[in-house]
Amino acid sequence: MPLQTRRRYAGAPENEVRLMVVAPIHPLDTKGRPIILVGLMGCGKTTVGKALSKRTGMPLLDTDAIIEEQIGKPIPEIFAEQGEAHFRALETALLRYLLYNPTPSPAVISTGGGIVVRPENRELLRMLGFTVWLNVSVNALLVRTAKSTNRPLLQNTDRRAVFNRLDAERRPFYKEAAHLWLEASCMDVNSVAVRVCEEAERFFAAF
Ligand code: S3P
């Protein structure tokens, strides 16, 4: 399974993709292991992941994007055609793959919000690297996902009720899967990235 760590760079011709070389502001010795971000939809995994990637020079991977690329379909289509249980099995397969086939250089990994639902995924997340739960209030999640149209669990529904339910159901799962629980509702992206780097440094120093 080839993992995409390549991105288009600003100003590149339409059909050209090159390796993006970023000068890290704060390189981290993670002993080859990744930093993984978990949390509900809209909690900022992608945004924080980008900031962490820029800060550390580690490439950013996204489990949803990898699954979409491997299956060749967008997530809403996978949910509609194969069902949520199938999607969860794909997430497990990907975590196992990442555990047994580490990426060439350590990565920041942003995950889908429901990756913690399966017990084996929670165990895999703890084994894989340093896992961080971005804990954000339901009010903030509602604001941040207000314009979202590509999340099957938020389609044609009372979003507040969905978030309240997911928050109650998944809170214990995030706590179990993550090494760091970060109350991030009122933090700006860079402060979150700085804090995650500090904690990651402490975590990996123990190995
Ligand atoms: C899901 C979250 C989504 C995506 C899928 C299911 C969930 O990812 O994996 O729509 O169950 O919470 P994001 O958290 O990146 O939106």
Side-chain angles (χ1 to χ4, degrees), residues 138-203:
V138 166
N139 280 341
L141 295 173
L142 281 166
V143 173
R144 294 184 196 185
T145 56
K147 291 192 178 136
S148 169
T149 53
N150 61 351
R151 290 176 165 113
L153 299 183
L154 298 181
Q155 300 300 316
N156 312 315
T157 185
D158 174 350
R159 290 187 172 192
R160 181 175 291 280
V162 170
F163 272 124
N164 279 332
R165 178 177 58 80
L166 293 178
D167 186 50
E169 279 172 11
R170 294 180 181 174
R171 186 163 280 273
F173 300 157
Y174 293 126
K175 288 183 174 173
E176 189 185 320
H179 302 95
L180 173 67
W181 309 349
L182 200 57
E183 171 45 63
S185 305
C186 300
M187 283 175 87
D188 65 82
V189 178
N190 278 329
S191 309
V192 175
V194 169
R195 178 74 200 287
V196 171
C197 282
E198 286 167 0
E199 297 288 342
E201 205 153 29
R202 231 168 271 152
F203 177 84

Side-chain angles (χ1 to χ4, degrees), residues 19-156:
L19 262 182
M20 197 169 83
V21 180
V22 188
I25 304 164
H26 189 97
L28 268 183
D29 180 9
T30 67
K31 316 278 165 62
R33 299 170 73 196
I35 297 175
I36 307 136
L37 301 172
V38 298
L40 287 173
M41 295 173 279
C43 71
K45 290 162 291 186
T46 307
T47 325
V48 170
K50 282 181 187 162
L52 276 174
S53 170
K54 201 169 160 195
R55 193 172 168 76
T56 60
M58 290 157 69
L60 175 65
L61 299 179
D62 179 292
T63 57
D64 283 347
I66 294 170
I67 290 172
E68 286 186 327
E69 190 189 312
Q70 293 297 314
I71 302 302
K73 284 179 195 167
I75 307 272
E77 248 175 80
I78 303 176
F79 266 66
E81 291 171 14
Q82 275 102 22
E84 184 174 343
H86 180 73
F87 177 71
R88 300 292 168 216
L90 294 172
E91 287 181 316
T92 304
L94 177 56
L95 287 178
R96 281 216 184 95
Y97 180 89
L98 289 168
L99 184 65
Y100 296 113
N101 302 274
T103 48
S105 62
V108 177
I109 304 178
S110 157
T111 60
I115 202 158
V116 293
V117 169
R118 284 184 153 206
E120 66 251 69
N121 289 8
R122 302 199 286 273
E123 207 182 327
L124 286 162
L125 285 163
R126 281 194 80 84
M127 287 192 291
L128 190 56
F130 179 56
T131 300
V132 180
W133 171 32
L134 301 179
N135 180 17
V136 169
S137 70
V138 166
N139 280 341
L141 295 173
L142 281 166
V143 173
R144 294 184 196 185
T145 56
K147 291 192 178 136
S148 169
T149 53
N150 61 351
R151 290 176 165 113
L153 299 183
L154 298 181
Q155 300 300 316
N156 312 315

